[in-house]
Amino acid sequence: MASEIERINKTLRRRRIKRTVTALFAVAVLAVVLYILSGIFLRVGVIAVENASRYDSSELLARFDELRGEPILRFDKNKATDRLQTALPYIKTATFSVAFPNRLNVSVEGAVALYSVSADDVYLCLDEDFKVLEISAAPDPGLLQIDGISFGVSDGEETAEKSYLLGKKINIEDNIEMSVLAELLNELDRNGLYKRVTYIDFTKKYNLTFYLDGIIQVELGTSEELDRKMGMLLEILSRNPSDRRAVINVRNPSEGRYRNLE
């Protein structure tokens, strides 16, 4: 009796497994068919742009024309975004969403210029992510001016311009001084001083300096112990006037010095 019940159970298990495999196979076939049909029938026909950038919507739509006719579920969003950001550097992000059967919605956010960084004989206009928005012959007086950063030659090329490209982010992992700048900006922001900075100077490699409110020069020395140096700077600022020309030396974070220039 027991063997008969066991035989029946085995038969039922085989049937369940067979039904499960059949169902999975049917789902897989259906998925493949739907995928193929979506590529045939569901294609980008209408493109709508929600524009929060400095560019005209017509200019953005012209950049997306090449997407018309693309399978609406299978086009490469990352590639499309990269092409757009490179062609129009002041684009920060582009977000895509689909409205069936053929409408592609694109939401575009503009980049904001923050820094004007000298590089050889040109000036790089950068956003918060160090993306190169413009390359010009003169600094932008409305941005935070940063001088003296060295841009190394990349890929064995003879021109240093190859180490930064219009529309591309500067890789701070490949540029030590840009990584120091990122760390410095982060420390200034963390300590509530970022909005007071008017100029940063990397010219003297072993004495990084910056200006607060255009009148207080701060000498940091190297980039070591930035957190301690910022702590000493805050202590000195709390004990001295901030509306007079002065030099604050915090190269030694244990004994900072204040010198009034008036």
Side-chain angles (χ1 to χ4, degrees), residues 70-99:
E70 288 286 313
I72 201 166
L73 296 177
R74 288 154 51 185
F75 76 93
D76 192 331
K77 296 180 181 180
N78 292 331
K79 185 177 180 180
T81 300
D82 185 65
R83 285 201 302 263
L84 179 68
Q85 292 176 324
T86 301
L88 304 175
Y90 274 90
I91 296 298
K92 183 177 179 65
T93 61
T95 305
F96 299 87
S97 62
V98 172

Side-chain angles (χ1 to χ4, degrees), residues 5-249:
I5 294 175
E6 184 177 348
R7 185 182 64 80
I8 293 173
N9 287 336
K10 287 182 178 180
T11 301
L12 292 175
R13 280 198 299 269
R14 283 196 296 269
R15 289 177 180 175
R16 283 197 298 270
I17 293 173
K18 184 177 180 180
R19 285 197 297 267
T20 302
V21 170
T22 302
L24 290 175
F25 179 75
V27 170
V29 171
L30 180 61
V32 171
V33 171
L34 291 176
Y35 182 78
I36 294 173
L37 290 177
S38 70
I40 297 174
F41 298 106
L42 300 179
R43 293 181 175 271
V44 178
V46 178
I47 299 176
V49 174
E50 182 180 339
N51 185 12
S53 74
R54 63 187 292 172
Y55 301 107
D56 291 335
S57 294
S58 59
E59 188 174 6
L60 295 175
L61 283 170
R63 296 289 174 180
F64 290 123
D65 268 344
E66 60 189 26
L67 295 178
R68 298 184 192 277
E70 288 286 313
I72 201 166
L73 296 177
R74 288 154 51 185
F75 76 93
D76 192 331
K77 296 180 181 180
N78 292 331
K79 185 177 180 180
T81 300
D82 185 65
R83 285 201 302 263
L84 179 68
Q85 292 176 324
T86 301
L88 304 175
Y90 274 90
I91 296 298
K92 183 177 179 65
T93 61
T95 305
F96 299 87
S97 62
V98 172
F100 292 108
N102 67 342
R103 181 185 175 95
L104 181 65
N105 298 316
V106 187
S107 179
V108 173
E109 178 187 355
V112 178
L114 293 179
Y115 314 115
S116 180
V117 181
S118 62
D120 304 317
D121 297 325
V122 297
Y123 291 86
L124 309 180
C125 175
L126 308 179
D127 69 358
E128 62 179 350
D129 298 319
F130 296 157
K131 178 185 178 184
V132 182
L133 306 179
E134 290 184 41
I135 301 176
S136 59
D140 186 328
L143 304 179
L144 175 57
Q145 180 68 42
I146 301 167
D147 283 337
I149 289 185
S150 300
F151 288 88
V153 178
S154 64
D155 299 328
E157 298 289 341
E158 294 182 356
T159 56
E161 285 79 3
K162 293 296 181 181
S163 62
Y164 48 82
L165 296 172
L166 184 63
K168 298 291 186 180
K169 295 179 183 179
I170 296 174
N171 188 348
I172 63 175
E173 294 182 359
D174 294 336
N175 188 305
I176 295 176
E177 293 183 9
M178 286 298 294
S179 67
V180 171
L181 174 62
E183 184 182 1
L184 173 60
L185 293 171
N186 181 64
E187 283 293 329
L188 288 167
D189 184 55
R190 190 172 67 84
N191 288 281
L193 296 173
Y194 175 81
K195 292 183 178 180
R196 294 181 59 184
V197 178
T198 54
Y199 176 72
I200 299 176
D201 188 4
F202 276 77
T203 304
K204 297 178 181 178
K205 302 305 179 184
Y206 294 98
N207 189 17
L208 172 61
T209 63
F210 62 87
Y211 281 78
L212 296 175
D213 307 318
I215 57 175
I216 299 177
Q217 178 181 342
V218 179
E219 297 182 350
L220 286 177
T222 67
S223 60
E224 296 179 356
E225 298 185 287
L226 272 183
D227 54 343
R228 291 188 60 209
K229 291 176 180 179
M230 286 294 167
M232 176 57 69
L233 173 60
L234 290 176
E235 184 179 335
I236 292 174
L237 288 172
S238 69
R239 299 197 310 258
N240 294 278
S242 293
D243 58 350
R244 299 178 185 175
R245 293 177 60 249
V247 175
I248 298 177
N249 184 334

